[in-house]
Amino acid sequence: MADGLDTCRQILLDRFPSIDDDLFQYVADILESGSDDFESGEDIHDAVGSILAEVAGDEGEDDIIDICNQLMSALKGDGYNDTATDRGSHKLLQAPVNMSEMVENLEVEEDETSSIWIVRKESNTVVDQRKLQKLKPNLKQSRKNVHKMMNLIMRSKGGK
């Protein structure tokens, strides 16, 4: 990682020869402290782009973004490629993906679905049929009463 930071420092000095020593050290410290957190050149641009734009003078925003991408490449090594597809906006897959096949092939084991956070209660409810038969007439009467009350309310408000 030190090689990447040295390369970043060199890029900064090459692109901004008139950068103030304090600003240079500040930007270098940000790159060093955030090197593990940066995922794209855009992240670096968010962190130090405004500082670089102030120092840049005649370089435009696109140039600053390009410099941030170069800094990212230096930090992450040769395998880093900051294209739009790598930033997550679009990715081209190498082969077609059939989600229904993946779901069919998915085997969920009992152990995977059991958790200490999920409480499963067994439902052993038994309805006493005698009590249920006694309550049915009361339920019918309650429904009739509700209908009567609704009709009275509607009549009093000028409805039916």
Side-chain angles (χ1 to χ4, degrees):
M1 188 62 72
D3 293 334
L5 290 172
D6 291 338
T7 305
C8 287
R9 288 185 180 97
Q10 190 59 46
I11 291 170
L12 289 172
L13 289 174
D14 290 345
R15 297 297 294 260
F16 307 104
S18 63
I19 190 170
D20 182 58
D21 290 339
D22 292 333
L23 283 177
F24 172 77
Q25 190 58 44
Y26 179 71
V27 171
D29 288 344
I30 289 174
L31 292 174
E32 183 176 3
S33 65
S35 62
D36 293 334
D37 298 327
F38 294 133
E39 294 180 1
S40 68
E42 187 176 333
D43 291 343
I44 292 179
H45 184 267
D46 290 344
V48 297
S50 60
I51 297 168
L52 297 178
E54 288 179 18
V55 176
D58 62 341
E59 297 197 32
E61 185 67 21
D62 292 336
D63 294 330
I64 300 298
I65 292 172
D66 182 52
I67 293 167
C68 291
N69 287 332
Q70 289 176 13
L71 293 171
M72 187 66 193
S73 294
L75 282 176
K76 296 298 181 183
D78 294 333
Y80 176 74
N81 182 13
D82 189 27
T83 61
T85 59
D86 290 334
R87 287 193 302 264
S89 60
H90 298 285
K91 286 192 177 188
L92 179 62
L93 300 176
Q94 300 299 327
V97 176
N98 189 339
M99 297 300 286
S100 63
E101 285 180 7
M102 295 174 77
V103 170
E104 289 172 1
N105 294 334
L106 181 66
E107 294 179 17
V108 180
E109 296 180 16
E110 185 66 30
D111 294 339
E112 291 178 17
T113 58
S114 63
S115 170
I116 62 170
W117 304 110
I118 299 174
V119 178
R120 297 180 193 241
K121 294 182 180 179
E122 291 185 23
S123 175
N124 291 334
T125 57
V126 177
V127 177
D128 187 357
Q129 292 296 325
R130 285 182 282 146
K131 289 182 180 179
L132 182 62
Q133 291 302 324
K134 288 181 183 177
L135 291 176
K136 279 187 180 180
N138 292 340
L139 180 61
K140 288 180 183 178
Q141 185 61 37
S142 296
R143 285 184 184 163
K144 287 180 184 177
N145 291 339
V146 168
H147 286 296
K148 286 180 184 178
M149 293 298 290
M150 292 298 294
N151 287 335
L152 286 173
I153 292 171
M154 293 300 288
R155 286 183 192 150
S156 67
K157 290 187 176 187
K160 286 185 175 180

